[in-house]
Structures are given as C-alpha cells and as structure tokens.
C-alpha cells in the first residue's frame, strides 16, 4: 500500500535530521553514497636531508632514478629550466581499522590495516604556445587585461612500498548498483579537461 510507504518516509524525515557538514555548505538530506572509517591514522611527509643539501642537481638525479626516461627529448626533460617546480618528499603513512561501506549495506566492502612508505614527487613542466589558455579580467570600469597561462602538465612520481595486514574483502552482485552510484558521484569532483588535443 503506497500510503504506508509515504507515511514511513515522512516519519523517517522527521527523525533523521539533515546532516550539517560545514557552515558554508548546504545540509545533506540523503544518506551518503559511501562511508570510509579509519580508527587510527598517522601521516608524515618530510624533506630528505640529502636532497636538500644537493639542491636541484639531486632532484634531477632522483627524477631519472625513478622515471628512467630514455626518450628522444631526454636532454630537454633533464634540463632544470624545463620545470617550474620539481620536488620529492619522504612519505610514511600508517592506517588501521580502515573500513569502506556502501550505501544501504551494513557489511563493509573492505576492511584492512596498511603501512605505506617511500618517496613522493611532484613536478610542473613549462609549456609554450599554443599550449595555453587565455582569460579577460576587468581592471576597472574601462580597462581589461588579457591573461595567458600555459597548460603546464603536472606530473606525480611515486616510489613506495605497501604492506597490508588483516585484509577482508566482501563482494556480492547486489553491491553493484550502489557501487555504480558511488562512482557516478565521484565524477562531480573531476573538472572538465581543458586539453586542446582532439578527442580519441
């Protein structure tokens, strides 16, 4: 009987108040698509003393150590002037009691403890025209400025080891609709690409 279900939904709304995430964000009226719980979390990222001492030369040497690029433009990639920013950090990350749940399911899909350690790198390469985008900014009532910014590719380098303990993974075909809703929700957080290359 539809009247029964309507009454149940109305009662649920009365007792389940909207969740306030932050003062500047609208309240969440519906349950989250997924929930990630971590009981214990420790994260550290530090600069390597040896890389600090050696400066740019050390960073470029480490870059080729983990990337080992041998293409035709190696001399360009290996030139420090080809990079706006390039740096590496030591990473140590421990998490225990990690639990991932999907909406409408009390049993978690994943339970695990893990430890990650290694080196994390981030670099931004320089670009030249036509790989750039422009925008017009008002500088007053009668003046505008055209700002051109290069589409500088950002690259992430990761040289690390993962150690997992007490891993429990559950899967059932009934998880699939909730999992697909979760993936579709993630798409809202990825901006549209500004890459000018033709679509493949």
């Amino acid at each position: 009987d539809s009247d029964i279900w309507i009454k149940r939904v109305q009662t649920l709304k009365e007792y389940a108040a909207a969740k306030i995430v932050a003062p500047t964000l609208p309240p969440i009226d519906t349950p989250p698509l997924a929930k990630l719980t971590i009981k214990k979390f420790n994260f550290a990222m530090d600069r390597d003393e040896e890389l600090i001492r050696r400066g740019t030369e050390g960073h470029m040497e480490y870059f080729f150590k983990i990337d080992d690029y041998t293409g035709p433009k190696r001399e360009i990639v290996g030139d420090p002037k080809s990079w706006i920013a390039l740096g590496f950090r030591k990473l140590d990350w421990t998490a225990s009691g990690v639990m991932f749940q999907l909406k409408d399911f009390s049993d978690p899909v994943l339970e695990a403890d893990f430890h990650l350690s290694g080196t994390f790198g981030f670099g931004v390469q320089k670009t030249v025209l036509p790989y750039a985008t422009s925008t017009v900014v008002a500088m007053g009532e009668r003046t505008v400025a055209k700002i051109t910014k290069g589409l500088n590719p950002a690259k992430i380098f990761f040289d690390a080891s993962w150690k997992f303990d007490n891993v429990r993974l559950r899967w059932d075909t009934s998880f699939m609709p909730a999992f697909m809703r979760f993936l579709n929700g993630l798409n809202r957080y990825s901006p549209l690409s500004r890459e000018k290359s033709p679509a493949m």
Side-chain angles (χ1 to χ4, degrees):
D1 189 8
S2 61
D3 291 336
I4 295 176
W5 286 104
I6 292 173
K7 187 174 181 180
R8 287 179 179 176
V9 171
Q10 290 173 343
T11 304
L12 179 63
K13 282 189 173 182
E14 291 176 5
Y15 287 96
K19 185 176 180 181
I20 305 297
V21 179
T24 57
L25 297 176
I28 298 175
D29 295 323
T30 57
L33 297 176
K35 182 170 73 172
L36 177 66
T37 306
I38 303 175
K39 291 183 179 177
K40 189 175 180 182
F41 184 91
N42 185 32
F43 182 84
M45 183 180 287
D46 304 305
R47 296 183 67 184
D48 185 274
E49 295 296 331
E50 179 65 17
L51 288 178
I52 294 174
R53 185 182 64 81
R54 298 189 60 198
T56 303
E57 178 187 350
H59 281 82
M60 295 308 303
E61 185 177 309
Y62 196 85
F63 163 69
F64 281 114
K65 177 182 176 183
I66 65 173
D67 190 84
D68 195 24
Y69 178 76
T70 56
K73 297 183 179 179
R74 179 185 170 96
E75 66 280 356
I76 298 175
V77 175
D79 185 357
K81 295 179 181 178
S82 298
W83 297 85
I84 296 174
L86 178 65
F88 297 93
R89 300 290 185 269
K90 292 292 183 182
L91 181 67
D92 191 83
W93 182 14
T94 303
S96 59
V98 179
M99 187 168 63
F100 179 74
Q101 293 174 276
L102 290 171
K103 178 183 176 182
D104 301 329
F105 293 95
S106 58
D107 292 332
V109 177
L110 174 68
E111 292 179 280
D113 304 326
F114 70 85
H115 177 241
L116 182 149
S117 61
T119 302
F120 172 84
F122 181 81
V124 180
Q125 285 184 297
K126 287 184 179 178
T127 55
V128 295
L129 292 173
Y131 305 105
T133 183
S134 299
T135 185
V136 177
V137 180
M139 303 293 288
E141 293 184 1
R142 301 180 182 177
T143 308
V144 296
K146 183 177 181 182
I147 299 175
T148 302
K149 185 181 183 302
L151 297 173
N152 306 312
K155 299 189 177 182
I156 294 175
F157 308 94
F158 207 37
D159 182 20
S161 62
W162 288 82
K163 182 182 178 183
F164 286 88
D165 294 315
N166 307 319
V167 179
R168 294 185 64 187
L169 183 65
R170 298 180 181 88
W171 185 256
D172 191 277
T173 52
S174 60
F175 289 168
M176 185 58 73
F179 187 67
M180 294 306 297
R181 286 198 302 268
F182 170 70
L183 292 181
N184 290 334
L186 290 179
N187 289 335
R188 295 182 302 168
Y189 296 97
S190 58
L192 295 175
S193 174
R194 304 190 73 172
E195 170 62 52
K196 295 188 175 183
S197 302
M200 297 181 66

